[in-house]
Amino acid sequence: MKVTEEYFTSIVNETKNIVLSAVKKHLIDYYSQYIDDAVQETYLRAYNGLVKEKFQDKSKLSTWLYAIARNESLRMNNKLKREEQKKDKFLLFSKVNEKYEDEVTSNFNVNRIMEKAILLPIKYR
């Protein structure tokens, strides 16, 4: 089946409320700023699925799109959780590294080193 722009536009117009409600229901509230991204990805996947003839008319198109929206929302939840975990690990590493650097610098006394350097022969200073 050839998916024309007009045909796909009509699908979006007929199903946007269903897709939006699926995304809102399954996307974690904390990530609500990503609702538009999940809806957009849902329709992108649906378009690709229609072009590849993955929709087989065994169910209603709206049911198929709801499932895609649900799966995309769950996928996005997992992706965003992983990104947060990476960020948290980085921040933790940064704090540990900063603490270590502070300890090293506090033990690093420039005046003491200069006093010792003066004792060296000129050739080695």
Side-chain angles (χ1 to χ4, degrees):
M1 162 177 61
K2 184 168 171 36
V3 182
T4 64
E5 184 177 340
E6 294 82 23
Y7 175 65
F8 194 71
T9 300
S10 70
I11 290 173
V12 171
N13 288 332
E14 291 171 18
T15 61
K16 60 186 170 189
N17 291 333
I18 292 167
V19 168
L20 189 58
S21 70
V23 169
K24 284 181 177 179
K25 180 177 180 183
H26 296 284
L27 190 67
I28 295 173
D29 288 340
Y30 183 75
Y31 302 129
S32 62
Q33 69 268 27
Y34 296 98
I35 288 174
D36 291 341
D37 295 343
V39 169
Q40 184 177 15
E41 190 62 31
T42 296
Y43 281 115
L44 182 62
R45 289 180 187 276
Y47 179 82
N48 289 331
L50 288 169
V51 168
K52 294 176 183 176
E53 298 182 1
K54 290 186 177 181
F55 178 67
Q56 302 170 359
D57 282 330
K58 292 181 181 177
S59 65
K60 290 171 54 175
L61 184 62
S62 58
T63 305
W64 184 65
L65 281 165
Y66 184 93
I68 294 172
R70 181 195 67 230
N71 292 339
E72 186 54 39
S73 298
L74 298 174
R75 187 178 358 270
M76 190 162 286
N77 286 337
N78 291 331
K79 176 186 171 192
L80 294 169
K81 281 180 192 175
R82 283 191 308 274
E83 287 178 8
E84 274 191 20
Q85 289 170 345
K86 286 179 189 176
K87 182 177 128 186
D88 291 346
K89 285 180 185 178
F90 176 76
L91 291 174
L92 179 63
F93 174 76
S94 297
K95 286 180 183 177
V96 167
N97 197 29
E98 187 178 296
K99 184 180 176 187
Y100 173 74
E101 287 176 4
D102 287 347
E103 288 176 11
V104 169
T105 352
S106 68
N107 292 331
F108 181 74
N109 187 333
V110 176
N111 293 330
R112 204 168 103 210
I113 291 174
M114 292 303 289
E115 289 171 3
K116 300 289 182 184
I118 290 173
L119 298 175
L120 292 171
I122 294 177
K123 178 179 173 182
Y124 296 110
R125 287 186 205 164

